[in-house]
Amino acid sequence: MRRFVVVASATLALAPLPAFAQDPARMDAVVREDAENGDFMGAVLVARDGDILFDKGYGSANLEWNIPNDGATKFRLGSVTKQFTAVAILLLQERGKLTLDAPVKTYLPDAPGIWDKVTVRHLLTHSSGIPNFTNFPDYGTTKTLPATHASLIARFRDKPLEFAPGAKFAYSNSGYVLLSAIVEKLSGQSYAAFVAENLFKPLGMADTGYDVHAAILPRRASGYSPGPKGPVNADYIDMSIPQGAGALYSTTRDLLKWQRGLYGGTLLKPATLAAFRTPYKDGYALGVGVQSAGGVTTIEHGGGIEGFNTSLAYDPDRKITVVVLGNLNGPGPGKLSKSLMTLARGGTVTLTSERKAATVAPDQLDQYEGVYELAPTFAITMRVKDGKLMTQATGQQELELFAESKDRFFLKVVDAQVEFTRDASGKVTGLILHQGGRSMPAPRK
């Protein structure tokens, strides 16, 4: 379900390329607001190339023992893992072991016939059409059971494709499970051993690896989920399930080593690195998302797994790394990643607590009433109640909007803003929801 959630909305004012903001106090204030509101717990790091600008932990790695988070705390990465899997595949390609545009059946001969046109590239770019097994109705019960590659693949191998391979983008963890199997088949090693030997060891990433529940792992964070009265211990997931789609753990400091080594050319040849970061469909490249707008490029991927949400972002022009690792489920890491990147680039971030409400006459609010459609099954309804403009998203509670300027309003309980749009005659015809660094238009029905 889509929600008005606490996510970033930054006012971006970039300085010229050579100039950078290096205000750790402001970065701390941005993170601390979410931490104090109970929306974030974890560790963050911001660096420009090898210079660390900000490195701090918030809340507890273990609430029962009140052990604080810091840059050496190990967090499960969730889908940030996917870029490691993609680089492993690219290394195998450089070694002549595979070709990205070869059918999956070339390397997994027992693949079903419906996958005949599915290539390795399709798996990497979420364009295979293979259904995402983590969306299956029984996933909540099967995620606790140990699995092998064969038993896990059996869960989705006989399902029909959702679309023709290469036709569109649809996020699928199933594809990255298959990529894990290909890594093992072609290397003769377990996935965990291959990435440890070929990725982590060359970069000195001693605090990164494949997480195993039974292993004694020093400084591993416990994972939590929000509860009615505060955090609760997160659901259990057997770590044989996520595999190369989300099973790795790391620290903020180790992930800086990863960024510097990967984008510095230590692991991949220049042409391969260029392919790694080239979008295929919907801004998704090989295990990472790539967004370019206004001369600014961000390479980023988020992650979510029981008890953990994460974000790893990189500005290749300014060599800025932002790492946000959280051990409390929620949108906080994604929000903070965007805000911290904005600050590191020299921009400004306005916190929800800093927004000032303007006075608008109640009779001026009537023009905004109506239903605004963000998607076929998701709309935002505006109505005036007791002289206040109220908003309600599909399936959610009603919230008050506060005027900031003409046609611009904000919510206080959620970091999101609404900008109303007009036609040539001045009639309100739609709105733009600014949330999470995105601007989402919604026409008035």
Side-chain angles (χ1 to χ4, degrees):
M1 180 181 296
R2 299 178 65 181
R3 296 183 178 276
F4 283 124
V5 292
V6 183
V7 291
S9 181
T11 302
L12 185 61
L14 288 182
L17 187 60
F20 300 90
Q22 298 187 30
D23 185 357
R26 183 57 180 171
M27 293 180 181
D28 177 57
V30 168
V31 182
R32 187 160 26 86
E33 179 170 84
D34 276 8
E36 292 177 352
N37 289 339
D39 297 319
F40 175 71
M41 184 165 68
V44 302
L45 183 147
V46 181
R48 188 178 72 246
D49 203 1
D51 298 326
I52 295 177
L53 309 179
F54 186 60
D55 179 6
K56 191 171 181 179
Y58 296 82
S60 296
N62 185 288
L63 288 169
E64 292 163 325
W65 287 90
N66 196 28
I67 298 168
N69 280 315
D70 61 23
T73 305
K74 298 182 178 76
F75 297 82
R76 287 180 177 174
L77 297 182
S79 287
V80 171
T81 297
K82 288 181 170 67
Q83 61 195 277
F84 295 92
T85 302
V87 172
I89 289 290
L90 291 172
L91 281 177
L92 291 171
Q93 177 188 238
E94 287 189 346
R95 296 170 186 177
K97 298 284 189 178
L98 62 76
T99 301
L100 296 191
D101 293 313
V104 170
K105 183 165 283 191
T106 308
Y107 313 109
L108 301 176
D110 61 342
I114 56 172
W115 296 357
D116 283 354
K117 295 184 179 180
V118 175
T119 67
V120 175
R121 188 183 302 276
H122 291 146
L123 301 180
L124 289 167
T125 57
H126 299 290
S127 60
S128 68
I130 296 174
N132 182 9
F133 77 98
T134 59
N135 288 340
F136 292 175
D138 63 349
Y139 179 69
T141 54
T142 58
K143 70 181 182 181
T144 63
L145 306 175
T148 62
H149 273 128
S151 67
L152 196 55
I153 293 170
R155 298 184 187 180
F156 57 82
R157 61 173 289 134
D158 296 324
K159 303 283 187 182
L161 296 181
E162 295 179 340
F163 52 84
K168 64 180 183 178
F169 172 93
Y171 197 86
S172 178
N173 288 303
S174 303
Y176 275 76
V177 167
L178 291 170
L179 291 168
S180 308
I182 291 173
V183 169
E184 294 197 352
K185 183 73 176 290
L186 299 184
S187 70
Q189 296 178 278
S190 69
Y191 172 87
F194 184 85
V195 294
E197 180 181 323
N198 294 276
L199 305 184
F200 308 147
K201 185 176 180 180
L203 299 181
M205 298 172 65
D207 292 326
T208 303
Y210 192 111
D211 202 6
V212 177
H213 177 75
I216 303 300
L217 184 63
R219 302 189 66 84
R220 173 167 52 191
S222 298
Y224 301 94
S225 295
K229 298 181 181 180
V232 298
N233 288 313
D235 284 351
Y236 173 78
I237 178 173
D238 191 283
M239 294 306 289
S240 64
I241 300 296
Q243 301 185 17
L248 298 181
Y249 68 83
S250 191
T251 67
T252 56
R253 294 168 190 167
D254 253 15
L255 290 176
L256 175 58
K257 295 178 182 179
W258 169 252
Q259 299 282 71
R260 295 192 70 205
L262 174 61
Y263 295 106
T266 301
L267 296 175
L268 300 175
K269 297 174 182 178
T272 308
L273 181 60
F276 167 79
R277 51 173 287 191
T278 299
Y280 182 71
K281 285 187 182 297
D282 291 6
Y284 200 90
L286 307 183
V288 290
V290 182
Q291 296 181 347
S292 296
V296 177
T297 297
T298 305
I299 304 172
E300 191 270 345
H301 209 294
I305 194 169
E306 284 73 1
F308 299 86
N309 281 90
T310 58
S311 176
L312 179 60
Y314 187 69
D315 180 331
D317 300 312
R318 296 163 178 81
K319 296 184 179 180
I320 296 172
T321 287
V322 175
V323 190
V324 186
L325 304 181
N327 60 323
L328 174 64
N329 280 139
K335 167 195 173 180
L336 292 173
S337 177
K338 293 178 175 65
S339 295
L340 293 171
M341 181 64 80
T342 296
L343 292 174
R345 286 169 169 160
T348 60
V349 172
T350 302
L351 301 175
T352 301
S353 60
E354 297 170 340
R355 294 187 180 276
K356 304 299 181 183
T359 301
V360 177
D363 60 356
Q364 294 296 309
L365 297 177
D366 294 345
Q367 62 187 314
Y368 302 118
E369 287 192 317
V371 178
Y372 301 80
E373 190 176 71
L374 274 169
T377 59
F378 187 82
I380 298 175
T381 300
M382 301 288 176
R383 73 181 182 118
V384 178
K385 179 181 179 182
D386 299 328
K388 301 174 182 178
L389 184 61
M390 308 297 292
T391 181
Q392 186 171 25
T394 300
Q396 299 180 34
Q397 69 183 100
E398 191 173 56
L399 302 170
E400 182 178 358
L401 277 172
F402 298 85
E404 192 168 23
S405 61
K406 181 182 178 180
D407 293 341
R408 291 189 66 95
F409 292 75
F410 66 96
L411 292 101
K412 289 186 177 181
V413 296
V414 174
D415 194 352
Q417 296 79 49
V418 171
E419 176 186 0
F420 290 96
T421 56
R422 300 175 183 268
D423 61 17
S425 68
K427 180 182 178 181
V428 175
T429 56
L431 63 76
I432 302 173
L433 172 64
H434 300 285
Q435 189 177 20
R438 299 175 60 199
S439 297
M440 297 164 278
R444 190 178 194 173
K445 296 179 64 175

